[in-house]
Amino acid sequence: MAEKKSKKDSIGIRMKGCHTNNGFVENEDVLEKDLDPGSPANSPQHSIVGIVGPEEPDLKNIQPYAGMPKEVLFHFSRQARYRVPREVLFWFTVASMLALTGATIAIIIISPKCLDWWQAGPMYQIYPRSFKDSNKDGNGDLKGIQDKLDYIKTLNIKTVWITSFYKSSLKDFRHGIEDFREIDPIFGTMKDFENLLAAIHDKGLKLIIDFIPNHTSDKHAWFQLSRNRTGKYTDYYIWHNCSRENGITTPPNNWLSVYGNSSWHFDEVRNQCYFHQFTKEQPDLNFHNPDVQEEIKEIIQFWLTKGVDGFSFEAVKFLLEAKHLRDEAQVNKTQIPDTVTHYSELYHDFTTTQVGMHDIVRSFRQTMDQYSTEPGRYRFMGTEAYRDSIDSTMMYYGLPFVQEADFPFNDYLTRLDSPSGNSVFETITSWMKRMPEGKWPNWMTGGPDRARLTSRLGKEYVNTMNMLVLTLPGTPITYYGEEIGMGNILAPNLNESYDVTTLLSKSPMQWDNSSNAGFSEGSRSWLPTGTDYNTVNVDVQKTQPRSALTLYQELSFLRANELLLSRGWFCYLGTSGHFVVYTREMDGMDRILLVVLNFGESSQLNLKDMISSIPTKVRIRLSTSSANRGSEVDTQAVMADKGEGLILEYSTESPLHYEPGFRDRCFVSSRACYSSTFNILYSLC
């Protein structure tokens, strides 16, 4: 055993000079010898592995080969023909990475802000009781809206706006809320709402809802606790001492309700008067009380947690009243004070737009911003500017560094009672001139409390008005039924307490020519349908190439796919008789869309007098008269029928907003420039 072990331990390994083996082992000269057993070298204590150091390899005539050791590899890697390409490739990679990073940063810097969802397409306002009845009780409901979402999608709508559906006593069109966290049974259940919201989001749409923070119903739990002076609820409403003798109340001052007569009502339980800006069934909340503000904040959070995408805050100008309770000044100072009973007979300096009101509205914005941090889930905020002047309305946009509403709803076009090019022109330009820089406009043609287009202006102007709002800059807002030209109904007799003058525009949506216009399969509907429902309905118009519905769909499709309309410049050329004329153009694009709208009788217009550089012939891109589409017109003699609208297109190298004579008449809300070379938008124009 010792001898075998000695042999093993005394192996000597000797390396010859490095010979190329091309990766294969060839004739390794490893000599194993049996040494003399008596030799000292054979002793276990002196077991030796002898390694003869390698000689310096001769690499002059060697070529690179697979599997070469690192000494050989280093030898070749130092040669210029291998080193230079390697270094060039390395620095090219570094330069490419730096260039890519720089390009990415540059694109981010110069890219304009993307339009948000509330800017990207029309809003569609629905009065839920009149849209679609799903359970045959004659009342529209949430399930009915869900059943018609596919129709709404055909309009290229981006946002569904549902007016008040909270639990209510039906006073003043559901604005007297009994519970802000409950769905009124007439519309369905909370589960129905959640299903509708999920379906809206599944369709790629957004949902905003009404919220009226100024007042509640007198049946609300807060009011019942307040009239009994229960704890913190004692001052949730505005109470004041007043005298009452022989059934006649002497109010604290001369303040009037919007609907007329005193805005103070005596409550026999509390033995005081409470303040109401609207009906006596709608007592005003006391927003000077921090607890009330906190309650409203929690309600906003409740619905945002549900997943709603935004709110329309109604009647916010009434949130605060002066604490001093001084009489408001009469418009006619010679009028006998006891005869002042109409709201318009006083200047409402102490009951509207008080100091601190905008701070409360901004607090709503701050609450909503807490839910806007998730990408793609920005929460929209709109405000109603009830009968305000345009200057007062602009205050709801906020301050330069303090955001308030995304926009106050612009209902000034809904106040036009007769077709007039000058009136339309003045309404548009007064908004655009006063709107703060960088803010976003919007345009409404109707609403639950306004007469419908057909009844206000005439059916000839329905298409013209739809073309107007869908080609102006900003967000168009369509009240249900305006896309098919529905009109007002005759005043019906109802057992419910309504302002009858605003009932007429709330008739059931006209879906087809069946019973109840397809709105309900029940025996009757809560309001009668329009008498023209046999011809003015969705089912008929969707098959007619010249119908109001078809034109609306074409206009909304054009808007969605035309950069000139979605974010281009707006330049108004003025009015010529009954015509309203303006252009939509964009930096970097060599073409212009020119919109011509006739709000009068058939007449001729010379566009050369307005734009000297316009070509002699231009193409009709879209017209309210399908017979004219695609043809060319002579710009010195553009003929338009009564109520006709034209979208003309022509090429140019000099947009109007570059010309000194037009600079004061051109506006842009979200400026962007187009690069035809890279097919991108950029902001450094």
Side-chain angles (χ1 to χ4, degrees):
M1 288 294 294
E3 184 179 357
K4 290 182 179 180
K5 186 174 186 306
S6 177
K7 282 185 179 182
K8 188 173 183 179
D9 288 344
S10 60
I11 295 175
I13 300 176
R14 180 171 58 90
M15 293 182 61
K16 293 187 176 181
C18 292
H19 293 285
T20 59
N21 59 16
N22 295 321
F24 298 96
V25 177
E26 66 172 34
N27 299 327
E28 288 192 13
D29 192 4
V30 179
L31 301 178
E32 182 178 323
K33 299 181 179 180
D34 291 334
L35 301 180
D36 184 356
S39 170
N42 197 35
S43 171
Q45 289 84 358
H46 297 88
S47 297
I48 297 174
V49 177
I51 301 178
V52 178
E55 300 175 4
E56 187 68 25
D58 182 9
L59 302 176
K60 292 181 179 180
N61 300 318
I62 299 177
Q63 297 298 319
Y65 59 90
M68 57 184 145
K70 65 180 181 179
E71 292 85 357
V72 180
L73 180 63
F74 288 161
H75 169 73
F76 290 108
S77 67
R78 289 192 292 267
Q79 295 180 5
R81 57 175 172 170
Y82 297 110
R83 186 186 72 253
V84 172
R86 185 174 68 250
E87 291 178 354
V88 169
L89 182 61
F90 170 78
W91 290 113
F92 176 78
T93 302
V94 171
S96 299
M97 293 299 295
L98 291 175
L100 183 60
T101 303
T104 302
I105 294 173
I107 290 174
I108 293 173
I109 292 174
I110 68 173
S111 293
K113 183 180 182 296
C114 294
L115 296 182
D116 220 321
W117 57 264
W118 50 274
Q119 300 170 307
M123 292 182 175
Y124 191 72
Q125 187 182 23
I126 295 174
Y127 189 72
R129 197 178 183 188
S130 297
F131 196 62
K132 185 69 174 75
D133 171 23
S134 70
N135 59 0
K136 304 181 183 180
D137 68 350
N139 295 290
D141 46 46
L142 299 179
K143 285 185 177 179
I145 297 174
Q146 184 174 345
D147 291 342
K148 291 299 183 179
L149 289 180
D150 286 336
Y151 165 73
I152 293 173
K153 283 283 289 183
T154 67
L155 303 177
N156 289 299
I157 298 296
K158 298 298 182 184
T159 304
V160 177
W161 172 8
I162 303 179
T163 61
S164 182
F165 51 74
Y166 307 101
K167 187 177 182 182
S168 169
S169 58
L170 291 177
K171 299 295 182 184
D172 190 32
F173 300 102
R174 305 200 162 278
H175 289 175
I177 309 303
E178 293 182 20
D179 191 334
F180 287 104
R181 292 180 173 86
E182 288 292 335
I183 307 294
D184 195 287
I186 202 172
F187 298 126
T189 65
M190 184 60 75
K191 183 63 175 177
D192 294 333
F193 174 80
E194 292 167 351
N195 290 339
L196 171 61
L197 180 58
I200 286 174
H201 287 164
D202 286 345
K203 298 285 185 183
L205 304 173
K206 301 291 185 178
L207 173 67
I208 65 173
I209 61 177
D210 272 1
F211 186 40
I212 309 98
N214 177 70
H215 51 264
T216 70
S217 166
D218 58 357
K219 294 181 173 59
H220 196 289
W222 297 345
F223 186 77
Q224 297 303 315
L225 292 168
S226 186
R227 72 195 309 202
N228 286 287
R229 303 176 187 265
T230 303
K232 69 174 184 177
Y233 298 100
T234 300
D235 295 324
Y236 263 41
Y237 296 83
I238 302 164
W239 298 93
H240 203 273
N241 293 328
C242 57
S243 61
R244 183 174 177 83
E245 295 181 5
N246 301 321
I248 299 176
T249 301
T250 302
N253 55 31
N254 72 341
W255 294 355
L256 297 176
S257 161
V258 169
Y259 296 124
N261 298 315
S262 177
S263 57
W264 296 95
H265 184 76
F266 183 77
D267 180 68
E268 295 181 353
V269 175
R270 180 153 168 160
N271 201 32
Q272 283 185 309
C273 283
Y274 64 84
F275 179 71
H276 61 89
Q277 299 246 36
F278 295 91
T279 68
K280 63 182 177 62
E281 294 86 4
Q282 298 170 292
D284 275 38
L285 286 164
N286 178 16
F287 270 86
H288 290 293
N289 186 339
D291 289 335
V292 170
Q293 295 189 35
E294 186 62 26
E295 291 274 13
I296 297 301
K297 175 182 177 180
E298 291 176 1
I299 293 169
I300 295 171
Q301 292 173 329
F302 172 83
W303 290 104
L304 291 176
T305 302
K306 287 285 184 184
V308 300
D309 300 291
F311 288 98
S312 164
F313 287 98
E314 308 273 318
V316 291
K317 67 184 285 186
F318 302 103
L319 289 177
L320 290 176
E321 304 78 22
K323 293 182 178 181
H324 53 63
L325 300 185
R326 291 199 296 266
D327 283 353
E328 293 185 316
Q330 295 179 194
V331 174
N332 180 3
K333 297 184 184 302
T334 63
Q335 186 176 357
I336 300 172
D338 289 344
T339 65
V340 177
T341 58
H342 292 90
Y343 191 72
S344 60
E345 294 173 344
L346 291 179
Y347 293 110
H348 303 285
D349 297 328
F350 302 145
T351 53
T352 62
T353 320
Q354 297 298 289
V355 174
M357 180 274 291
H358 281 284
D359 292 331
I360 294 174
V361 177
R362 291 178 196 124
S363 74
F364 298 163
R365 171 78 270 168
Q366 291 166 5
T367 299
M368 298 179 69
D369 284 344
Q370 296 170 8
Y371 290 79
S372 299
T373 56
E374 182 182 346
R377 290 306 308 273
Y378 180 81
R379 306 306 173 98
F380 166 83
M381 177 176 163
T383 55
E384 176 206 39
Y386 184 81
R387 298 180 185 176
D388 269 345
S389 66
I390 288 187
D391 287 328
S392 297
T393 300
M394 293 299 155
M395 295 297 294
Y396 291 99
Y397 275 114
L399 302 174
F401 299 103
V402 182
Q403 186 181 6
E404 200 163 321
D406 290 298
F407 53 64
F409 290 106
N410 176 3
D411 66 349
Y412 292 94
L413 287 174
T414 71
R415 306 181 190 185
L416 301 178
D417 293 325
S418 60
S420 165
N422 288 329
S423 297
V424 171
F425 173 78
E426 177 60 28
T427 301
I428 296 169
T429 55
S430 60
W431 185 280
M432 297 302 290
K433 287 179 179 179
R434 290 172 173 83
M435 185 177 66
E437 184 179 357
K439 297 300 183 180
W440 190 258
N442 69 101
W443 312 94
M444 303 174 69
T445 55
D449 300 326
R450 302 289 182 183
R452 287 192 175 274
L453 275 174
T454 297
S455 302
R456 282 190 293 116
L457 305 181
K459 63 181 180 181
E460 301 92 348
Y461 299 101
V462 170
N463 289 340
T464 316
M465 290 298 289
N466 283 334
M467 179 174 282
L468 173 71
V469 297
L470 286 163
T471 55
L472 285 173
T475 300
I477 302 172
T478 298
Y479 182 53
Y480 82 95
E482 299 289 19
E483 74 274 17
I484 61 174
M486 284 176 56
N488 285 1
I489 57 170
L490 299 176
N493 294 320
L494 291 177
N495 294 325
E496 304 170 61
S497 297
Y498 281 106
D499 178 0
V500 175
T501 61
T502 60
L503 251 187
L504 312 182
S505 62
K506 295 181 172 71
S507 60
M509 179 67 176
Q510 295 168 191
W511 294 105
D512 55 43
N513 56 13
S514 64
S515 176
N516 296 320
F519 163 73
S520 174
E521 296 180 5
S523 58
R524 60 183 295 273
S525 56
W526 80 282
L527 279 180
T529 57
T531 56
D532 60 357
Y533 78 89
N534 283 309
T535 55
V536 181
N537 66 67
V538 172
D539 199 43
V540 167
Q541 290 196 13
K542 69 183 181 182
T543 61
Q544 296 175 340
R546 301 181 64 177
S547 68
L549 176 60
T550 300
L551 177 66
Y552 187 96
Q553 291 170 325
E554 290 174 340
L555 285 167
S556 59
F557 181 81
L558 178 65
R559 180 185 183 83
N561 293 278
E562 181 59 77
L563 281 173
L564 293 173
L565 294 178
S566 62
R567 58 189 310 162
W569 284 84
F570 163 80
C571 296
Y572 65 88
L573 307 182
T575 57
S576 178
H578 293 287
F579 286 97
V580 173
V581 185
Y582 53 91
T583 65
R584 301 303 310 278
E585 50 195 59
M586 175 175 279
D587 299 278
M589 283 197 172
D590 59 357
R591 58 190 179 87
I592 286 178
L593 293 181
L594 175 63
V595 182
V596 178
L597 304 172
N598 182 13
F599 287 92
E601 300 296 327
S602 297
S603 55
Q604 185 172 287
L605 177 67
N606 187 345
L607 291 175
K608 275 285 188 180
D609 290 343
M610 295 181 166
I611 311 174
S612 59
S613 60
I614 193 171
T616 304
K617 296 285 186 179
V618 296
R619 185 173 72 93
I620 298 178
R621 179 77 177 268
L622 195 59
S623 169
T624 55
S625 172
S626 60
N628 294 332
R629 298 177 190 178
S631 61
E632 289 190 339
V633 294
D634 184 348
T635 53
Q636 292 180 306
V638 178
M639 191 68 192
D641 293 333
K642 179 180 181 180
E644 185 174 1
L646 301 168
I647 300 177
L648 309 176
E649 185 177 32
Y650 66 94
S651 298
T652 182
E653 295 297 329
S654 56
L656 296 185
H657 67 274
Y658 285 156
E659 299 184 14
F662 287 96
R663 285 177 182 171
D664 293 338
R665 291 186 278 169
C666 294
F667 304 91
V668 65
S669 295
S670 180
R671 189 176 184 183
C673 311
Y674 177 72
S675 170
S676 57
T677 304
F678 299 102
N679 192 29
I680 62 170
L681 292 177
Y682 61 98
S683 59
L684 301 179
C685 303

